[in-house]
Amino acid sequence: MNNPSAAPSPAAPVVVPVTDHVPTAGGGPGRRAALGPVGLVLAGGISVQFGGALAVTLMPRAGALGVVSLRLVVAAIVLLVVCRPRLRGHSRADWGTVVVFGITMAAMNGLFYQSVARIPLGTAVTLEVLGPLALSVIVSRRALNLVWAGLALGGVFLLGGGGFDGLDPVGVAFALSAGAMWAAYIVFSARTGRRFPQADGLALAMVVAAVLFVPLGIAESGTKLLVPTTLALGAAVAVLSSVLPYTLELLALRRLPAPTFAILMSLEPAVAATAGFLVLHQSLSVLESLAIALVIAASMGAVRTQVGRGKALPPDA
């Protein structure tokens, strides 16, 4: 199934003040505080997938690497203008975290678009989600989270048609590599969010990613990137697929444990399928619908488990 998806991958950033309230195990304000970051993650997922639908229409104009370059450059400019991050007063470790975060974003986006140039987009998203799922298993400290991860993994494979035979092995390798970078993105997004106020660290990391990727985009697409229509569509893709979701995820990761966040990322194929139906008029088979139901059930279980625990983001997540 060709889902119109793009790497998150994570608009003008939503600069939401993050309080230090620790949610409680019961209902009331504590439960609402725990659900807050979950809403941010879900909103980011919807944004990135509908931005991906737009990116699908742009790729014939600018190429895969050109689309990524436009996304990163426009996103970097918007974040710099809105956030106006402070350059002084940061430690060497702070800057190191930002640089690695930027490299991770550039690699995640570049690898994903190389994969969709070789294999169906929906399959690429399905393979990419395996990265966050693996992270949820590795860092989880509760057996129940392994159950939710396993259920989501089963849904992911069903969404891929029950198997991945006959696919271009290079495209599969690119998608799996993008998934590994997605897992790294989760880790370094959380670390960046704790070291920099608001979305300052994200803005600086986006500049790093753009600087690294622009030469590749120019080499592939050249002056095609300067066509007004292409620039306008690229800006829209950047708004939906980079700036808004990355900002929402960074804010969410200050409050949400990495295992729960990683399992929530398994919703991406389901959201992509919905975007495909609404934007590109792609229908769903019974098997694909069942896969989406499994993934959603796993994500809801992970969220309910986390809310019940009433824990904030662990320092080492």
Side-chain angles (χ1 to χ4, degrees):
M1 181 183 67
N2 287 330
N3 294 333
S5 170
S9 49
V14 180
V15 184
V16 180
V18 180
T19 63
D20 295 325
H21 297 296
V22 178
T24 61
R31 183 175 292 271
R32 288 194 295 271
L35 288 172
V38 172
L40 294 178
V41 174
L42 294 178
I46 292 171
S47 177
V48 76
Q49 298 306 338
F50 279 86
L54 181 59
V56 170
T57 68
L58 180 59
M59 288 182 67
R61 296 172 177 264
L65 300 180
V67 172
V68 177
S69 297
L70 287 173
R71 280 180 54 179
L72 295 176
V73 169
V74 174
I77 293 173
V78 172
L79 284 170
L80 286 176
V81 170
V82 174
C83 297
R84 290 180 291 180
R86 186 165 49 90
L87 300 180
R88 296 181 180 180
H90 302 299
S91 68
R92 181 177 299 180
D94 293 342
W95 285 113
T97 299
V98 160
V99 170
V100 175
F101 187 27
I103 293 172
T104 298
M105 283 195 292
M108 178 179 66
N109 284 281
L111 289 168
F112 179 77
Y113 276 103
Q114 287 299 315
S115 74
V116 298
R118 294 168 172 82
I119 62 177
L121 193 55
T123 302
V125 175
T126 302
L127 289 168
E128 188 190 27
V129 166
L130 297 180
L133 283 173
L135 177 64
S136 72
V137 173
I138 292 171
V139 304
S140 175
R141 299 175 182 175
R142 291 197 72 187
L144 187 57
N145 277 333
L146 301 182
V147 174
W148 299 128
L151 183 62
L153 186 61
V156 165
F157 274 113
L158 279 179
L159 198 59
F164 301 100
D165 297 335
L167 295 175
D168 184 333
V170 176
V172 170
F174 274 126
L176 292 174
S177 299
M181 290 297 100
W182 194 357
Y185 159 82
I186 292 171
V187 174
F188 284 97
S189 178
R191 293 180 181 178
T192 300
R194 291 193 298 269
R195 288 181 175 272
F196 291 83
Q198 303 299 338
D200 287 10
L202 175 63
L204 296 172
M206 194 70 73
V207 172
V208 173
V211 169
L212 290 174
F213 222 95
V214 163
L216 299 177
I218 293 176
E220 181 185 66
S221 303
T223 56
K224 293 179 181 179
L225 300 177
L226 301 179
V227 175
T229 302
T230 300
L231 283 173
L233 290 173
V237 170
V239 163
L240 293 173
S241 296
S242 291
V243 182
L244 182 57
Y246 288 166
T247 301
L248 294 176
E249 289 169 8
L250 183 145
L251 294 174
L253 277 166
R254 291 175 175 171
R255 302 290 302 279
L256 197 65
T260 302
F261 180 87
I263 296 177
L264 279 171
M265 290 296 96
S266 65
L267 274 172
E268 294 292 337
V271 179
T274 302
F277 177 75
L278 295 177
V279 179
L280 300 181
H281 309 293
Q282 297 173 338
S283 60
L284 296 173
S285 68
V286 174
L287 187 64
E288 290 163 346
S289 299
L290 175 60
I292 290 174
L294 286 176
V295 172
I296 291 175
S299 298
M300 290 177 63
V303 172
R304 185 173 180 82
T305 299
Q306 180 56 32
V307 171
R309 291 179 69 192
K311 295 291 183 67
L313 180 64
D316 297 328

